Amino acid sequence: MIEVVIPALGARPADAFARSLGGARSLAPFDPRAIEFVAALSAELFRDPACRAHPAIQALAFGTRRAAVTRLAAAVAATRQPDIVRVPVGVVFHVPPANVDTLFIYSWLFAFLAGNRSVVRLPSRTSPVLEAVLAAFERVRAAWPDPEVAEASCFVRYGHEEAITAALTRACDLRVIWGGDATIETLRRIPAPPAGRDLCFPDRWSLAALRAEAVAELPERALEELAARLYADTYWFGQQACSSPRLLAWVGGADAAQRAQRRLVAALAGELERRGEEVDPSTALGRETLVNRLAADGLVESRLRAGAALWIVALAPATGDAPGDPPLLVREHTGGGLFLSLRIDRLAQLAARLGRRDQTLAHFGFEAEELGELVRILNGRALDRVVPIGEALLFDRIWDGVDLIEEMTRRVHLVTTPRQLR
């Protein structure tokens, strides 16, 4: 049995529920009715006190307001070709992760705007953020007068029953699997239909690069703003999101790097205290165990604690803080405000230390030419996103190098005039 949470149908036989997914009509990509629905959801997320309490939900509300969605629709329309008609893929089965509470709704959002019907498997581990978003969604959906819009989306829960996953997979045209690697490997044992596809987002790792002198010389107010933006990137989801920075790369001389790190750590510690940030005991224990193990392996040069939710661990030179060193060896992480740290002379020196697993580089203090040089040196070998600090968690149509709207639509080649064949 599968529990259909939205609409609130309760327990249903999985096969019968899966067969029902194929019966409804799809909308056209960026159907005005879909845009209207998303705008109403945004307004509800802004209005509801339970949603206003969570910055991650407010970021979702901001990204789904009518102006933002209309702008996205215009950008997609600008790519229109006269002999191509864009249509939805059909039914999309989403398998979001449990470590980022709002990812399930972003995955649904792009599929919905692309005109698809969706079934979203909710994470087994719930949270106040997830429940607040679901409740807001259901309030909007239940009051929506157009059944083609209101019935285009289902949110379900079930355990690890492979038979249910197989039934939903058979009913879908696209399966979107958000990490981690183990989940992807497990689900791939259940193949998609011959005409269906998988869109997979595996485990990733992210970091931040800061120009040391720029941070060392920042006025106090600007330093506090930088700390607040780093907080948003890191602590909204306990540093568990794939795009949350786990390493701070200081670019510049040793003295400037020390001054800059000292200032930023103090400012971030103040931000954490102001927000009452805490770390649960199991995460704290795992973090301490990891750091002690890294130290025992000779990978730690120094460590600094600035309260319960902020640890800075400077990596020893052998782990990659000198030009020509091998790729960064430390990829384990526990979350909970643990920042690895290293110093390099030039931003481009990061290239030798990054690999395909590295997703987002959040940056501060660099010119566009320096950032572009790093991307060109990497040449696709690492990094899918390079964004200012404070925007690491902002979800976008382009994610992990994939255009979600492109992947969630089909392009029908429309030839209207007979061509000369010989």
Side-chain angles (χ1 to χ4, degrees), residues 113-154:
L113 289 173
N116 299 289
R117 285 160 286 128
S118 283
V119 55
V120 182
R121 179 186 180 180
L122 295 170
S124 55
R125 187 181 67 196
T126 189
S127 72
V129 169
L130 185 146
E131 294 301 331
V133 173
L134 272 184
F137 184 97
E138 177 57 5
R139 284 193 295 275
V140 175
R141 191 205 67 83
W144 206 256
D146 184 340
E148 284 194 1
V149 173
E151 297 172 6
S153 310
C154 296

Side-chain angles (χ1 to χ4, degrees), residues 198-338:
D198 279 342
L199 183 56
C200 298
F201 298 91
D203 288 333
R204 305 300 298 274
W205 206 90
S206 296
L207 69 159
L210 304 97
R211 182 177 296 289
E213 287 189 357
V215 177
E217 296 169 3
L218 266 184
E220 257 336 287
R221 188 72 177 268
L223 182 68
E224 291 172 2
E225 172 65 17
L226 177 62
R229 292 175 69 90
L230 183 58
Y231 172 88
D233 281 351
T234 307
Y235 290 89
W236 279 5
F237 302 113
Q239 209 178 12
Q240 295 294 334
C242 60
S243 55
S244 288
R246 297 169 179 181
L247 179 142
L248 303 178
W250 293 100
V251 180
D255 289 344
Q258 285 183 5
R259 287 201 315 276
Q261 179 163 285
R262 194 163 51 239
R263 293 192 74 209
L264 183 59
V265 166
L268 184 55
E271 182 74 14
L272 295 172
E273 184 176 359
R274 187 173 70 81
R275 294 178 177 274
E277 189 71 27
E278 296 178 351
V279 175
D280 67 81
S282 62
T283 300
L285 178 60
R287 182 183 58 189
E288 183 156 6
T289 301
L290 172 62
V291 172
N292 287 339
R293 184 156 53 80
L294 294 176
D297 291 343
L299 301 176
V300 173
E301 186 173 69
S302 64
R303 61 180 94 176
L304 168 66
R305 298 185 188 188
L310 179 55
W311 284 28
I312 305 291
V313 174
L315 296 173
T319 61
D321 71 349
D325 276 353
L328 196 66
L329 299 177
V330 179
R331 283 293 185 273
E332 292 180 78
H333 206 276
T334 60
L338 170 62

